[in-house]
Amino acid sequence: MSGRGDPPEGTPEGAPGGGEDEYRSMVFDESFIRAARLQENSADERLGEHHAPAVRPRRPWTRLPGSRQALLLVLLIVIAFGTAIYMGVRHPYKTADPGPGAQPLRSSVVPLTPPGAVPGGAPGDLFAHSPAAHFKTGAAGITIPSNASRTAHFSGGQVIEALRLAKEYLIRSSVDPATLTGGNVRSVRLLLDTGQLDQFDRSMARPVDDGRHAATGWLVRLDRSTTALADRNVRVSGTLATSESGPDSLEVTADYTFVYAVRATGGAAQHAEHGTGKPVPGASSLFTVRREIRFRLDREDLADHRLEVAQSTLQAGPMTCSPQADVLRPLLAGQRAGDARPAGTDPYSRQWANPSLCGRLAATSQPAPSHPIR
């Protein structure tokens, strides 16, 4: 029988005394085993004393009570806000002077009466026998000067842009068929300085011959109840010029003549203001408009693609001497001016008035009649 602790098969061969002989002197009772405690070093301890902690300790101010944190946050905001105000008041750079706002347009319309009956004929024949025979057609007649160059305070590009804006305004207000026939004027309005929009809107809605609110001071608009375009190709000739009106503004001066071929509509004979005589059926006539306009543009206008129409003088004929604040009413082929004259002006009145003017259309300005006039 095998002894205590021996395996059932006995002591393995080649192992003297079995496996217990080596540890027979070491005896651990149950109380010793229970009293033994295992202790393992932490990862931080195993890395050594020079290792920086992975998590930074919280700063003292983050451990403040909630009310103190809120007070500190408010204090920081107040300091930042006060600094911003101080820097705004004590800014070392001067802001640009915005200068005066857009001034109201001053305009005048001068009707030109013909010396006799208005010549009539086919549009092509009338143009060929008139001073407009060599005028260019439409936008091609409005050219930007080739010698345009920089000024003392504006670059060459800014000068060219000012001239382009003036050209665009002339096209939209004097050549565009929609404008000429009383259509939508939004394209003209979009080019105006915002400071003139109220004046423009009032001039379109309630035109008055007061030198401020005549629709015909802003654009060429024919009376479509009596007049229609016989040829949409307007003949144009004139000049554009630029100068400085100050260190912050450019001035563009336009002097252009526009010649239109017009004919009578069905309602032309019913309007007494069209002078004497009925229009010749089927005949066209020429209507000439000279516009002298002074534009003003500052740097903001150039950036916004807008301009200010400072002054406008319009001379047009053949017409009668009646006021032409809302639309222009050409005398048509076969008609005469009659005896109508401008209304008088009272020099004792303190009311501001725009004295009506009327001129005489030179005989050389009209073509030789190519249609029999009776």
Side-chain angles (χ1 to χ4, degrees):
M1 183 174 178
S2 55
R4 181 182 180 183
D6 292 336
E9 298 82 3
T11 303
E13 295 181 2
E20 292 185 356
D21 293 342
E22 184 178 356
Y23 303 101
R24 197 174 295 273
S25 61
M26 301 176 61
V27 178
F28 300 97
D29 58 12
E30 185 176 353
S31 62
F32 177 82
I33 294 173
R34 290 180 177 178
R37 293 185 179 180
L38 298 177
Q39 182 175 356
E40 183 178 359
N41 291 335
S42 66
D44 187 58
E45 291 172 336
R46 291 198 299 272
L47 290 173
E49 60 180 355
H50 298 292
H51 170 63
V55 180
R56 296 181 181 180
R58 297 178 63 187
R59 299 188 181 278
W61 70 272
T62 61
R63 295 195 295 269
L64 292 174
S67 60
R68 293 187 179 182
Q69 291 187 32
L71 180 61
L72 181 59
L73 180 61
V74 171
L75 181 61
L76 290 174
I77 293 174
V78 170
I79 293 174
F81 187 70
T83 302
I85 294 177
Y86 175 79
M87 292 300 294
V89 173
R90 303 283 296 180
H91 200 284
Y93 303 103
K94 292 184 178 181
T95 58
D97 184 7
Q103 299 300 309
L105 165 68
R106 293 178 177 269
S107 65
S108 63
V109 179
V110 182
L112 303 177
T113 61
V118 177
D125 293 337
L126 293 173
F127 281 126
H129 294 87
S130 74
H134 302 292
F135 286 9
K136 293 182 179 180
T137 302
I142 305 174
T143 58
I144 294 177
S146 58
N147 60 349
S149 60
R150 63 172 296 133
T151 63
H153 300 93
F154 289 87
S155 68
Q158 290 174 317
V159 172
I160 295 297
E161 176 64 13
L163 290 166
R164 286 176 178 170
L165 284 170
K167 174 179 178 175
E168 188 172 353
Y169 184 88
L170 290 172
I171 294 171
R172 294 186 184 185
S173 64
S174 309
V175 177
D176 185 1
T179 303
L180 298 175
T181 56
N184 197 324
V185 296
R186 184 173 181 270
S187 63
V188 179
R189 189 180 189 274
L190 287 174
L191 287 176
L192 293 175
D193 186 291
T194 55
Q196 291 189 315
L197 293 180
D198 289 342
Q199 184 188 10
F200 178 82
D201 292 341
R202 180 180 168 185
S203 301
M204 297 299 112
R206 300 182 302 278
V208 181
D209 185 25
D210 62 356
R212 291 285 199 281
H213 302 98
T216 48
W218 298 94
L219 46 82
V220 177
R221 183 163 65 176
L222 304 176
D223 183 1
R224 59 182 174 182
S225 66
T226 63
T227 310
L229 289 174
D231 187 346
R232 296 168 67 92
N233 294 320
V234 182
R235 304 310 196 265
V236 184
S237 180
T239 60
L240 284 171
T242 57
S243 63
E244 282 193 7
S245 56
D248 297 317
S249 62
L250 279 172
E251 188 171 283
V252 179
T253 304
D255 186 355
Y256 272 85
T257 299
F258 303 88
V259 186
Y260 309 90
V262 297
R263 59 177 176 80
T265 63
Q270 283 72 41
H271 288 260
E273 66 268 21
H274 269 64
T276 60
K278 292 183 178 181
V280 177
S284 300
S285 60
L286 297 187
F287 182 61
T288 304
V289 176
R290 180 179 177 182
R291 300 188 74 189
E292 298 176 79
I293 307 178
R294 183 164 53 86
F295 302 101
R296 186 179 297 114
L297 304 93
D298 58 23
R299 300 179 194 280
E300 185 176 353
D301 289 328
L302 292 171
D304 294 342
H305 198 74
R306 294 177 180 269
L307 48 72
E308 176 187 339
V309 187
Q311 189 171 5
S312 171
T313 300
L314 183 145
Q315 303 174 54
M319 292 197 297
T320 65
C321 283
S322 58
Q324 312 281 332
D326 53 346
V327 291
L328 300 175
R329 301 176 177 86
L331 287 171
L332 303 167
Q335 291 186 308
R336 299 176 182 269
D339 298 326
R341 291 292 179 267
T345 301
D346 182 6
Y348 293 95
S349 173
R350 294 298 178 186
Q351 297 289 335
W352 192 92
N354 182 45
S356 297
L357 302 174
C358 188
R360 192 77 167 173
L361 184 65
T364 55
S365 299
Q366 291 290 290
S370 58
H371 192 283
I373 303 297
R374 299 180 181 179

